[in-house]
Amino acid sequence: MAQGTRASLRESWYLLGPAFVAAIAYVDPGNVAANVSSGSQFGYLLLWVIVVANVLAGLVQYLSAKLGLVTGRSLPAAIGKRISRPWRLTYWAQAELVAVATDMAEIVGGAIALRILFGLPLLLGGLVTGVVSLLLLAIQDRRGQIIFERVITGLLLVIAIGFAASFFVKTPPTGAVLSGLVPRFHGTESVLLAAAILGATVMPHAVYLHSGLVLDRHGHPAEGHHRRLLLRVTRLDVVLAMAVAGTVNAAMLLVAAINLQNQGVAATIDGAYAAIHNTLGTTIAVLFAIGLLASGLASSSVGSYAGAMIMQGLLHRSVPMLLRRLITLCPALVILAVGVDPTRTLVLSQVVLSFGIPFAVLPLVRLTSDRGLMGSDTNHPATTAAGWAVGILISLLNMVLIWLTVAG
């Protein structure tokens, strides 16, 4: 291999990372709840939703990263530049609701994991999760983006091991897995869970975040060879990160389908842990709980990072990270304090997130298809069509969800 080629490969691998931070959003406790509920109630039925959602998420994440590299602005900043102040405030309000729903999932998930592992009360576990996530954000603030990426990627590896470990003990039947790849639903609850899976996978705050992550890591490269290299590396970054996230999500659903379906076990994360403990042993169950804890800690810090970026881009204001942490932490702690079912809370939080997806995806497609803004890096017409299809499909699914819920 020529020296220049080796140098190019080394440079490419060094530039990977932002997509893996964004991918934490795709393996958060909300995903665990949605996937566990799906697998325990419907077996392999909704596996196809995970596959489709992962493909859609990969496209959207790449467009977000491309927007940041080409324009030098995050998605919130690009949107804020094009709308008047009253509309910016309205847009920020819905984005802030998304941030609160996101943090609720992360904090509740971390609290459940700490209760399973150490017997901590949910409220105390939520506080611990919030504090640790703030410490992870301090790493980004004091040690820089690259160190933060390495820490988050390490946690992603812990999550992957935790949720996939059971397959070394018990594997799903091939025929059942293949049948789960055939698109279909079975009643209102399956549509609700499909919306939850979609909301937990194509997450609005991750779409906003990725455009800012690449700016923090790579800056705003001028048009030319270096930008083309960064765009190629970004595609690879997204493909690898989404492959990991998709595999982990599928593993969650399959574990629940194998160990919980028709077992008379509650369709909750605690139920999943108990079933795994009873069928696969203590070690695998503890790894599952550790994966859940790593998921809550990492995704909570990434969610707060995204919330700060959204506020900066839309309102042009920076809020101290501690205050930012408290704003989104308090609703989650209230939910834990009043004793609402935590797994159901996680699932419903993901449905809320699915309603925020069009507000992130549709402007992103519009901006990246604007030749005046993107120049030679404007979307290919097929890419633009696929992007519009994603946003419209999700919007239609949400309307169907509302109708089925009201009718039911």
Side-chain angles (χ1 to χ4, degrees):
M1 184 182 293
Q3 183 175 355
T5 302
R6 288 197 298 269
S8 177
L9 287 173
R10 284 197 301 270
E11 183 180 5
S12 296
W13 284 108
Y14 174 76
L15 294 172
L16 297 176
F20 284 85
V21 175
I24 283 292
Y26 299 113
V27 290
D28 75 341
N31 290 84
V32 181
N35 293 327
V36 165
S37 296
S38 299
S40 61
Q41 293 182 56
F42 297 102
Y44 307 93
L45 178 75
L46 297 179
L47 181 60
W48 68 272
V49 179
I50 292 177
V51 175
V52 170
N54 210 62
V55 172
L56 301 183
L59 170 64
V60 171
Q61 291 303 136
Y62 173 69
L63 292 182
S64 176
K66 184 172 76 166
L67 177 72
L69 287 173
V70 174
T71 67
R73 297 192 189 101
S74 68
L75 176 57
I79 293 172
K81 188 175 178 60
R82 294 200 167 202
I83 57 179
S84 61
R85 179 174 173 78
W87 285 111
R88 282 206 310 271
L89 291 173
T90 303
Y91 202 93
W92 168 77
Q94 67 81 27
E96 193 65 34
L97 178 61
V98 164
V100 170
T102 300
D103 219 29
M104 187 177 298
E106 330 304 25
I107 297 299
V108 171
I112 295 173
L114 288 170
R115 182 178 66 181
I116 290 173
L117 287 169
F118 305 110
L120 294 184
L122 284 175
L123 183 58
L124 178 57
L127 283 170
V128 171
T129 303
V131 170
V132 174
S133 67
L134 186 61
L135 295 176
L136 289 174
L137 286 169
I139 292 175
Q140 191 273 337
D141 185 53
R142 297 186 179 185
R143 301 296 300 276
Q145 182 75 14
I146 295 178
I147 299 299
F148 179 69
E149 286 176 5
R150 289 174 180 171
V151 171
I152 295 299
T153 302
L155 288 172
L156 179 60
L157 179 62
V158 172
I159 295 166
I161 293 172
F163 291 129
S166 65
F167 291 112
F168 291 99
V169 179
K170 190 174 183 180
T171 57
T174 303
V177 173
L178 292 177
S179 71
L181 298 176
V182 179
R184 63 197 191 281
F185 295 108
H186 185 68
T188 302
E189 184 67 14
S190 68
V191 178
L192 174 66
L193 288 172
I197 291 171
L198 198 60
T201 304
V202 188
M203 294 189 75
H205 79 282
V207 179
Y208 294 123
L209 176 66
H210 204 162
S211 56
L213 287 171
V214 293
L215 284 174
D216 290 345
R217 176 67 182 276
H218 304 309
H220 178 209
E223 186 173 3
H225 170 73
H226 186 54
R227 181 192 288 180
R228 290 194 298 273
L229 171 64
L230 287 175
L231 288 172
R232 287 198 302 271
V233 171
T234 296
R235 283 194 291 270
L236 176 62
D237 198 23
V238 169
V239 168
L240 293 176
M242 295 312 300
V244 173
T247 300
V248 172
N249 277 313
M252 294 178 199
L253 185 145
L254 294 175
V255 166
I258 296 170
N259 298 290
L260 273 72
Q261 190 185 23
N262 301 322
Q263 298 298 315
V265 179
T268 64
I269 293 175
D270 292 283
Y273 171 80
I276 292 171
H277 185 277
N278 292 335
T279 58
L280 303 179
T282 302
T283 301
I284 299 299
V286 169
L287 287 173
F288 175 87
I290 291 173
L292 176 63
L293 178 60
S295 169
L297 296 176
S299 54
S300 184
S301 63
V302 170
S304 292
Y305 189 167
M309 183 180 297
I310 290 168
M311 181 173 285
Q312 176 65 35
L314 290 171
L315 300 186
H316 309 301
R317 292 182 180 178
S318 296
V319 175
M321 193 58 70
L322 179 59
L323 177 59
R324 175 77 219 173
R325 173 76 282 179
L326 291 175
I327 289 172
T328 54
L329 177 62
C330 287
L333 295 181
V334 170
I335 290 293
L336 292 174
V338 300
V340 178
D341 177 57
T343 300
R344 187 64 175 176
T345 298
L346 287 174
V347 172
L348 292 178
S349 74
Q350 303 312 294
V351 175
V352 172
L353 290 179
S354 74
F355 285 96
I357 295 169
F359 292 97
V361 173
L362 296 179
L364 174 63
V365 177
R366 174 69 183 86
L367 289 167
T368 52
S369 60
D370 184 343
R371 185 164 295 277
L373 181 66
M374 300 293 290
S376 61
D377 293 304
T378 305
N379 291 343
H380 187 278
T383 303
T384 299
W388 285 120
V390 171
I392 293 170
L393 173 65
I394 294 169
S395 300
L396 289 174
L397 178 59
N398 289 334
M399 286 189 284
V400 171
L401 174 63
I402 293 173
W403 183 81
L404 288 174
T405 302
V406 172

